[in-house]
Amino acid sequence: MHQQFTVQGELGATAKLGSGNVTVEPTAAGVAWASVVALDPAHEPSVALAERSTITLQGDQLQVDVPHSGRPFRRASVAITFGLPPGSSLAVRGGAVDVRVVGGLQALAVKVGSGDVEVDAATAVAVKAGQSDLTVGTAGNVAFTTGQGALRAEQVGDAAFKAGDGSVDLGRADGAVAVRGGSVQLVIREAGPGEVDFNTGSGSASVGVRIGTTVDLDMMSGAGDVRCDLPMESSAPSGGAALRLRLRTGSGDLLVQPGQPATSAGA
């Protein structure tokens, strides 16, 4: 199933499905399209489920609905692909769904039981999942809540991560980073002006600080090494510190050191 539309400006797209994947590709301004196909063309229930799906455009809202699979289709999976004009947004709801964005979005919102999410660029990314890995190129704001998973990003402004068990790996952070969890590992290669708040029951944190950035430190580990390799000043900087680091863990090592710029993020 495939439908193409002539549109004006950006769109808000939505997809609802039980199992499969959702992909976004860029199109030229004024054009949008969507398609639904069986993830496995040889799987008859998946083919039938794709044929029962609907694609509708109402105003600036493009919607793809895959009907509840029910018993005959409980193992059926479909692939949804959107072609969206610049500045569009996407919301995905589903069970076991992978999401991939190529060409950027204004906003991406994902709520799934499980599935990995990959987005090259977005102004805002929000993901809630039982189990998921989120990979981001660049984003102004990232909010990720998962029972178990990992966040990897080349460059972010603000980022919030909450997980029972997980990890965060950021190339460059330019705003407020908040990390919470039962067992979480944190790595930031280059943190600029802003705030890093790390609070976990167990887990280690390593934060690289951008050269020339003044820092206010608050570090505590119940069982682990705590180390700061930054040069120390005899007095507080006038106007206060540019970066506030609050790193707390019940069990794990904490390290603050000079940052190493991520060339891929800063290019």
Side-chain angles (χ1 to χ4, degrees):
M1 176 184 297
H2 179 95
Q3 291 191 40
Q4 182 166 315
F5 306 92
T6 299
V7 298
Q8 294 183 349
E10 65 274 8
L11 294 179
T14 61
K16 296 180 182 179
L17 67 161
S19 176
N21 61 50
V22 178
T23 303
V24 176
E25 301 176 0
T27 67
V31 178
W33 55 268
S35 68
V36 186
V37 299
L39 200 59
D40 179 1
H43 188 239
E44 292 184 4
S46 295
V47 173
L49 188 62
E51 291 174 348
R52 294 187 180 189
S53 302
T54 60
I55 301 172
T56 58
L57 176 66
Q58 295 183 349
D60 61 356
Q61 299 298 309
L62 177 59
Q63 182 170 330
V64 175
D65 276 318
V66 179
H68 295 295
S69 56
R71 190 175 184 86
F73 303 104
R74 61 183 177 181
R75 295 186 179 179
S77 295
V78 300
I80 299 174
T81 305
F82 288 98
L84 298 177
S88 295
S89 301
L90 172 67
V92 177
R93 294 177 65 92
V97 181
D98 293 332
V99 180
R100 182 170 181 261
V101 176
V102 178
L105 286 172
Q106 178 66 22
L108 173 66
V110 177
K111 188 174 183 179
V112 295
S114 64
D116 295 336
V117 180
E118 181 179 351
V119 52
D120 58 354
T123 301
V125 178
V127 176
K128 292 184 178 180
Q131 183 172 354
S132 176
D133 289 342
L134 170 60
T135 303
V136 178
T138 61
N141 181 283
V142 176
F144 185 23
T145 301
T146 182
Q148 180 178 3
L151 167 62
R152 301 178 185 87
E154 293 180 7
Q155 181 174 341
V156 297
D158 298 333
F161 179 84
K162 185 177 181 180
D165 184 358
S167 64
V168 178
D169 188 334
L170 305 180
R172 173 173 168 174
D174 294 310
V177 177
V179 177
R180 300 278 190 277
S183 177
V184 178
Q185 309 294 323
L186 169 65
V187 174
I188 303 177
R189 288 171 175 76
E190 186 187 19
E195 180 178 7
V196 177
D197 190 348
F198 174 77
N199 195 326
T200 182
S202 65
S204 299
S206 174
V207 179
V209 177
R210 188 173 305 161
I211 301 300
T213 303
T214 55
V215 179
D216 177 20
L217 282 175
D218 180 0
M219 304 165 66
M220 183 178 72
S221 175
D225 294 332
V226 177
R227 195 176 91 212
C228 177
D229 292 343
L230 299 177
M232 296 295 178
E233 299 292 339
S234 58
S235 61
S238 60
L243 174 63
R244 181 175 182 267
L245 298 179
R246 184 179 186 274
L247 310 178
R248 301 290 182 93
T249 181
S251 175
D253 299 335
L254 302 175
L255 171 63
V256 177
Q257 60 189 338
Q260 299 179 357
T263 55
S264 60

